[in-house]
Amino acid sequence: RLRENIKLGQRIEEALIEVLENGKWVSVTKVTSIGANRTVMVPVQKTKGLRIRITKSPVPPLVSEIGIFKKEKEYNEERNCFEFIKKN
């Protein structure tokens, strides 16, 4: 989850979420328009590093919160319901 201090206006227009793989930063997704609250879903993976790189902002960006959560359920479109993720 990403949040901006919206009292000062929406500033971030684009950002990359990257993970550290074998000593190199690899982009896993690109987001636009974070605003008051933006939930970003990425595949679950082990990593030793995570970074959010602001790539487009017309004024200095102001991120107010970064949250990382692991989903316990995922949506199954064929069955039209949520299912628990199997743990190894």
Side-chain angles (χ1 to χ4, degrees):
R1 173 176 62 207
L2 300 171
R3 291 184 178 183
E4 288 186 78
N5 184 347
I6 206 67
K7 291 177 185 176
L8 300 172
Q10 184 172 322
R11 296 169 169 234
I12 298 170
E13 294 180 355
E14 184 178 282
L16 295 175
I17 298 177
E18 301 173 327
V19 294
L20 191 59
E21 284 186 8
N22 300 319
K24 294 183 180 180
W25 290 104
V26 178
S27 178
V28 291
T29 193
K30 179 170 80 170
V31 297
T32 58
S33 303
I34 291 171
N37 187 28
R38 177 71 184 255
T39 301
V40 182
M41 305 286 227
V42 296
V44 175
Q45 56 190 296
K46 285 188 175 185
T47 184
K48 293 196 181 248
L50 173 77
R51 77 176 175 186
I52 296 149
R53 196 160 51 97
I54 310 302
T55 55
K56 189 174 181 187
S57 182
V59 294
L62 292 172
V63 176
S64 62
E65 183 179 334
I66 298 171
I68 302 169
F69 308 92
K70 184 177 178 184
K71 279 193 324 181
E72 292 187 21
K73 298 180 190 178
E74 64 182 22
Y75 191 72
N76 183 326
E77 290 185 27
E78 291 177 10
R79 294 184 177 174
N80 196 29
C81 67
F82 284 93
E83 297 178 337
F84 283 97
I85 297 171
K86 296 176 184 174
K87 295 183 179 182
N88 297 343

